[in-house]
Amino acid sequence: MRDFFLFGLAPYVAAACLLGALVWRTLSPRARKALPEVCRESAALYRGAMLWRWGLGLLLLGHAVAFLMPRSLLLWDRSPLRLVLLEGAAFLAGLAGLAGLALLLRRSGRLRKSTADLLLLTLVAVVMVSGLAMAVLYRWGSQWYALSLLPWFRSLLALRPDVSHVAPLPPLVRLHVLAGMAAAGVLPFTRAFYALAWPAVLLGERIGTLRASRSIAAAEAMAALALAVFSGMLLMGALRRVGVSQGYAPAQPIAFSHRLHAGKYRVPCLYCHFAAETSRHAGIPPAGICMNCHGQLKVASAEVQKLKEAVAQRRRLRWTKVHNLPDFVYFSHSQHVRGGGVACQRCHGPVEAMERVSQTALLTMGWCLDCHRKEGIMPASQRTAKGRASAATGGLDCGKCHY
């Protein structure tokens, strides 16, 4: 419960503080009137420490790039030399940012007197110190950042917080994450917020002086049109993704590896999911199927120990279903596996290469119909005299899947 509060609810509280204060401090008439002067003054207070700006800026840029391109980050880390260069550069940027932060506090007495700014800078110092300590104690933080923190952050964006990615991490890493969230929540109440907003305010002032010219007015109209078209395309793309869970890979009570079982040891899919030949559902294999093999082994990993403890305690393991279809859709595994000879990988992807199973296919109606068309499930020879599909196949008949 504590982990869910810290890493499942607290991020949304910090985001609400950030967005709420942002709207309040920029859209109210009184705040907008004084905004240019306050931003100019705040930017002057934070302009003094060059190391602070460059060090923190490079770190934030690196985190953003890793968030947008996690696969590229993992490919980069495959080379030990590139991995060391990346970790070393991040460590130097952290040292520079921490030194700049100390100089900023030393030179600016006004920031030390501001409770909100002092709290923000203290939280940022905790983030930097914990990050440097992680680089020394745990190393190769870029890899677990891509494999643990990024999936957790994406689960937050999808409004399905999965704290299992963060809960097992060391306390120092959790402190790093919590301090960063707290700093984001405090930021709108400090002068640092106005200092960050100063470039945008300055740009707005310069644009305002040019709005009288016709060329600028035409450019604004074209920009507004382009923004409307782009927003419409994004909206259409978002609406088409409603109900699509491609990439969904929830954490399970036991870290079962399909790559190890189906890949390395070549265990047939139907040995564990035996119901797929005779039932609508493939089903989750009972623990007895697992114990057929693991019950004979004397040496067991930590995950196998979890399984044996659950069996000994007669405790049910609550597995999370990965591939889900809407309730108004009828799908039968037996018709596809036994009747149609469809390989499991056709819908579930290369499970023999997956450490944790994820949904690789769209599983939308269009995706299923495209497969039916390509496979020629409903050729002319299977049609009746009235032109309808025979009862043995679904084909393109709506009533076969929706009834």
Side-chain angles (χ1 to χ4, degrees), residues 28-308:
S28 63
R30 184 176 180 181
R32 290 181 62 183
K33 184 176 181 180
L35 190 62
E37 184 62 29
V38 176
C39 289
R40 185 182 295 107
E41 181 182 353
S42 301
L45 288 176
Y46 279 91
R47 189 178 293 122
M50 183 69 70
L51 287 175
W52 151 259
R53 288 182 292 159
W54 279 100
L56 183 60
L58 289 175
L59 286 175
L60 292 177
L61 178 63
H63 282 69
V65 171
F67 172 75
L68 296 174
M69 298 184 295
R71 293 184 180 179
S72 300
L73 175 63
L74 293 176
L75 290 175
W76 175 277
D77 287 345
R78 286 185 178 179
S79 170
L81 177 60
R82 294 199 300 260
L83 177 59
V84 171
L85 289 176
L86 178 62
E87 298 285 343
F91 188 80
L92 292 177
L95 286 177
L98 191 61
L101 175 61
L103 290 175
L104 180 66
L105 287 173
R106 181 180 178 183
R107 294 176 182 176
S108 179
R110 294 183 62 182
L111 291 179
R112 293 197 300 269
K113 294 179 181 179
S114 173
T115 303
D117 285 276
L118 186 60
L119 177 60
L120 173 67
L121 296 178
T122 301
L123 291 172
V124 173
V126 172
V127 172
M128 289 188 169
V129 171
S130 59
L132 293 173
M134 285 189 300
V136 174
L137 297 177
Y138 304 121
R139 300 182 183 180
W140 322 141
S142 58
Q143 291 189 341
W144 55 254
Y145 176 76
L147 297 174
S148 297
L149 290 181
L150 289 185
W152 164 71
F153 191 71
R154 288 194 175 93
S155 71
L156 293 177
L157 295 179
L159 302 181
R160 291 195 300 258
D162 187 357
V163 300
S164 62
H165 295 289
V166 188
L169 295 177
L172 196 60
V173 182
R174 292 154 60 93
L175 175 63
H176 183 75
V177 175
L178 291 174
M181 290 191 302
V186 173
L187 175 63
F189 304 97
T190 65
R191 288 184 173 270
F193 166 76
Y194 291 111
L196 292 173
W198 170 239
V201 173
L202 183 61
L203 179 62
E205 289 181 345
R206 292 181 178 178
I207 292 177
T209 58
L210 299 175
R211 292 188 66 179
S213 63
R214 295 182 178 179
S215 58
I216 294 298
E220 286 183 346
M222 293 298 296
L225 179 61
L227 180 61
V229 173
F230 181 69
S231 301
M233 294 175 62
L234 287 180
L235 179 61
M236 291 176 61
L239 291 176
R240 293 185 64 182
R241 297 288 298 182
V242 172
V244 177
S245 301
Q246 190 177 29
Y248 180 52
Q252 303 291 358
I254 293 178
F256 180 86
S257 172
H258 277 76
R259 180 179 61 83
L260 179 65
H261 291 77
K264 182 177 180 180
Y265 294 119
R266 300 180 182 276
V267 178
C269 299
L270 295 178
Y271 176 77
C272 299
H273 303 284
F274 51 85
E277 287 187 304
T278 58
S279 171
R280 285 183 56 188
H281 307 286
I284 297 174
I289 295 293
C290 305
M291 295 302 293
N292 285 342
C293 298
H294 291 291
Q296 309 299 324
L297 300 177
K298 296 182 179 180
V299 180
S301 64
E303 300 301 319
V304 176
Q305 288 293 348
K306 294 180 184 179
L307 170 66
K308 291 185 175 181

